Structures are given as structure tokens and as C-alpha cells.
Amino acid sequence: MSVLDEELHSAATAAAAGDREAVERVMTTLWPQVVRYCRTRVGNSTQVTRPADEVAHEALLAVARELPALARSDHPVREVYRVVSRTVSDVHGGSAGSPDVPAEVVGLLHHLDATAREIVLLRVIDGLSVHDTAGLLGLPVGRVLVVQHEALRTLRAKVA
């Protein structure tokens, strides 16, 4: 379990038991990552149906409803990511990519497995750091780097 997983697990366990300060601690800990994720996925242009910060609020409410599941999970960061990504997908009609990703790139990404596709979207398209990506996906930093390298190699081969 990562440090963030341990911190989140501890706070979620206390929050699920009714500790209001722990609920606040969970929300405060997650807010920056959730907002960043929503902003990269939803964008803040005038063409989106709902602003990213509004989607982030809704996603955190969904996470709050899942506090007992977070407390039981060995990897609460993954659980948070699942809830947030599902909320973003629900709000935007199942769109899985960033609004500015060209159709040709989306077509190429279908050659990758789901984890590699998400890493490429987060790292290359959305510009998140390797540490933020690893935290969102609940993976070690080294694993994110290896999967990203292999995914980009696969995509280069498809283009060539």
C-alpha cells in the first residue's frame, strides 16, 4: 500500500465510523487530485455541458458515499479513481477521452489495453506528472513509466 493509500485508508475507516473530521480530511486530501483529473477529462471550455469543478464536486460526493468501500479496500486510491472516472463518464455521456483528442489518436489508442490507454491519456494527452498518474491509478511510478514506454512503442509501430 502506498503512503497515500495508507493515509486514505486510515481516514476513510474513521470517516465510515462517523468521524466528521476524518470525512473532511478525506475530502481535503482528495480535492486537488480530483479537480485536476476532472479538469483534464472535462476541460473548462464553453463547449462542455458542465464545468470541470462542478463535476469534481459531484465526484467527491460520490466518493463520500463510497467511504465504507474505501475503508474496506486494500487500495483506496484505485477505488477513488474508479468512482471519479465513472462519475465523469456518467456526466459526459460515456466519453472516455479529453475533449481535444483528435479522432485519429483515439483510434490508435484502441490498440492498447485499458491501463496503457489510460496512462497515455493521463501522461501524454493530459500532461499529468508520472507521480500524479501513479497516484490516480494506484500503480508504482516505475510501472507507469514502463507501461507508458511500451504503449508509445506500440503506437509508433502502428503509425509506421
Side-chain angles (χ1 to χ4, degrees), residues 102-145:
E104 303 83 33
V105 173
V106 172
L108 280 173
L109 291 175
H110 287 293
H111 293 284
L112 303 174
D113 66 72
T115 302
R117 185 171 39 252
E118 193 64 25
I119 287 172
V120 169
L121 283 170
L122 291 171
R123 292 276 296 131
V124 179
I125 306 294
D126 296 333
L128 293 182
S129 73
V130 68
H131 294 287
D132 289 340
T133 302
L136 278 173
L137 299 177
L139 297 171
V141 170
R143 181 73 184 140
V144 170
L145 290 171

Side-chain angles (χ1 to χ4, degrees), residues 1-3 5 25 28 31 47 50-53 55 64 77 97 106 113 115 119-120 138 148 151 154 160:
M1 213 186 273
S2 72
V3 173
D5 272 326
R25 213 167 47 243
T28 303
W31 176 249
Q47 296 147 349
R50 294 177 59 195
D53 288 6
V55 175
V77 172
V106 172
D113 66 72
T115 302
I119 287 172
V120 169
Q148 177 186 336
T154 298

Side-chain angles (χ1 to χ4, degrees), residues 42-52 92 99-100:
V42 175
N44 280 325
S45 73
T46 57
Q47 296 147 349
V48 297
T49 56
R50 294 177 59 195
H92 287 282
D100 299 328

Side-chain angles (χ1 to χ4, degrees), residues 60-81:
L60 273 180
L61 286 173
V63 168
R65 288 188 294 271
E66 297 287 331
L67 283 173
L70 293 178
R72 290 188 305 270
S73 177
D74 289 337
H75 300 284
V77 172
R78 287 184 198 165
E79 189 69 21
V80 167
Y81 171 72

